[in-house]
Amino acid sequence: MDVKDFYYDLPQELIAQDPLLDRSGSRLLVLGKENGFIRHDVFHNITQYLTPGDCLVINNTKVIPARLFGEREGTGATIEILLLKRKENDIWETLVKPGKKAKIGTKIIFGGGTLAGEVIDVVEDGNRLIQFTYEGIFEEILDQLGQMPLPPYITHTLQDKNRYQTVYAKYDGSAAAPTAGLHFTPELLDAIRAMGVKIAEVTLHVGLGTFRPVKVEHIQDHHMHSEYYDVSEEAAKLINETRQAGGRVIAVGTTSCRTLESAAQEDGSLCAQSGWTDIFIYPGYKFKLVDALITNFHLPESTLVMLVSALAGRENIMHAYEVAVKEQYRFFSFGDAMFIQ
């Protein structure tokens, strides 16, 4: 299949720039994966599409304020750093702008000296490995100096950092939010539990590779960047019990979906494990574990549009996106949601 098979026309004004005041007030497009049936609803009515015995799988990763602005030692030139993934305690793989000037040995000062970094290597895609030095706790310094790494298509300033976090975010490590989870409130999660739906937590630290454009013509030639994931014994037990009892496994977001499919055995069972995954799901993929998916609307020709097309069928997805554009749904990270069932 070619990348152009996943193109759709999206007017700029449908790209959501700000989160809604009420997280669960987003619109919800419900899509039947077998027949392409479409229904329009509001997200807080998601309970109407869940059944006692189902299991909702959420990604409890936490976005770190990963964008840092510093000065190059010696010249004072401004350098922007985006933390991508921690390689060792104080060594991070980063995206640096301007990258050409960040040669090995370049030293960068942040916050007047609160934090310092040195470029120690240049790796894949021109990313830099930076060794940081500081006094105190790195996460606290990052909270003080860093900014939330909003996607490039969001041009508005985010007034409240927490609106780019899910209400169940626990473990620091993501460079982007698992945005399907942004629609849930504590009250909605309580209502879901109360109706007899299990909630299992997994972790996948979202890297920017998720959003990288597919630069090859044939999608099978595209290589995904790896991301760290963790499935606990407790989560594996809940999900396995759900399957054995005939309930549905419903992934909240493409990150939860990729985690489950990475850790699933051929027979559809799930083993507790952690590691790195570069799984690329596109049409033709046979799902081992995931029955349904709550997700946002994704960029044209992106790996995420390919993933949802693998679950619901390319024609169903392209038609649903056409309908969503016509009905003026809000798109991308702060946009509306889709439930593929």
Side-chain angles (χ1 to χ4, degrees):
M1 299 187 92
D2 293 345
V3 174
K4 64 178 185 293
D5 294 328
F6 298 91
Y7 176 79
Y8 68 92
D9 194 30
L10 179 69
Q12 264 317 97
E13 63 268 20
L14 295 186
I15 299 172
Q17 292 295 323
D18 303 289
L20 293 181
L21 284 175
D22 172 17
R23 285 179 184 261
S24 64
S26 309
R27 292 166 76 188
L28 178 69
L29 187 150
V30 182
L31 174 66
K33 63 180 180 180
E34 304 303 334
N35 56 13
F37 171 82
I38 288 173
R39 176 179 286 171
H40 303 289
D41 210 325
V42 181
F43 194 83
H44 57 67
N45 288 338
I46 191 75
T47 49
Q48 294 179 16
Y49 303 96
L50 304 176
T51 307
D54 287 343
C55 182
L56 213 57
V57 184
I58 59 178
N59 180 9
N60 59 18
T61 188
K62 193 171 188 181
V63 187
I64 56 173
R67 181 168 273 126
L68 288 161
F69 291 90
E71 294 181 355
R72 188 174 172 184
E73 193 177 73
T75 68
T78 300
I79 292 190
E80 180 184 341
I81 307 287
L82 190 62
L83 303 176
L84 297 179
K85 60 176 88 155
R86 187 181 291 225
K87 303 301 266 186
E88 291 170 41
N89 276 347
D90 294 319
I91 297 174
W92 285 77
E93 183 176 336
T94 68
L95 195 61
V96 179
K97 289 182 191 175
K100 286 179 183 172
K101 299 198 172 175
K103 296 183 169 58
I104 293 173
T106 299
K107 292 183 179 171
I108 307 159
I109 307 300
F110 305 91
T114 305
L115 181 68
E118 181 177 351
V119 178
I120 59 171
D121 201 3
V122 179
V123 293
E124 191 184 0
D125 289 333
N127 293 344
R128 268 57 178 173
L129 288 189
I130 293 183
Q131 169 117 43
F132 289 100
T133 50
Y134 52 90
E135 284 185 14
I137 297 167
F138 184 75
E139 285 73 16
E140 288 180 2
I141 293 168
L142 200 56
D143 210 38
Q144 179 192 336
L145 301 179
Q147 295 180 11
M148 278 300 191
L150 293 178
Y153 49 76
I154 293 177
T155 54
H156 291 191
T157 304
L158 182 63
Q159 300 303 324
D160 177 5
K161 272 187 188 181
N162 287 325
R163 290 312 308 270
Y164 196 57
Q165 299 280 20
T166 62
V167 295
Y168 46 75
K170 276 186 191 170
Y171 301 113
D172 286 332
S174 277
T179 54
L182 296 178
H183 303 284
F184 288 93
T185 62
E187 295 77 16
L188 184 54
L189 289 166
D190 286 345
I192 288 167
R193 286 188 190 95
M195 64 180 287
V197 174
K198 299 183 184 81
I199 297 180
E201 297 186 21
V202 297
T203 307
L204 181 133
H205 292 319
V206 189
L208 289 187
T210 304
F211 305 106
R212 293 237 164 140
V214 179
K215 294 179 178 173
V216 294
E217 185 181 346
H218 305 298
I219 64 173
Q220 57 268 35
D221 297 333
H222 177 69
H223 177 65
M224 294 284 281
H225 284 63
S226 60
E227 295 167 313
Y228 179 81
Y229 73 93
D230 182 77
V231 178
S232 67
E233 292 278 1
E234 184 187 357
K237 183 169 179 285
L238 270 178
I239 293 162
N240 287 332
E241 284 172 358
T242 299
R243 282 187 70 83
Q244 285 155 14
R248 292 179 301 170
V249 175
I250 303 167
V252 175
T254 56
T255 60
S256 297
C257 177
R258 292 177 66 245
T259 302
L260 292 172
E261 292 298 315
S262 297
Q265 308 302 296
E266 286 304 321
D267 64 357
S269 63
L270 187 62
C271 289
Q273 58 185 276
S274 59
W276 295 84
T277 179
D278 60 359
I279 191 171
F280 179 19
I281 297 173
Y282 55 88
Y285 178 85
K286 300 291 181 223
F287 285 83
K288 303 186 192 84
L289 201 52
V290 173
D291 298 305
L293 175 69
I294 296 169
T295 187
N296 279 19
F297 292 92
H298 306 293
L299 279 75
E301 300 184 338
S302 65
T303 59
L304 303 180
V305 164
M306 294 167 195
L307 184 153
V308 294
S309 296
L311 185 63
R314 191 190 75 85
E315 287 183 6
N316 286 342
I317 288 293
M318 289 296 128
H319 177 245
Y321 271 56
E322 197 180 302
V323 170
V325 168
K326 188 179 164 195
E327 295 291 329
Q328 298 204 303
Y329 273 70
R330 301 164 75 248
F331 278 66
F332 306 163
S333 295
F334 288 141
D336 295 317
M338 177 188 274
F339 181 36
I340 301 170
Q341 62 171 357

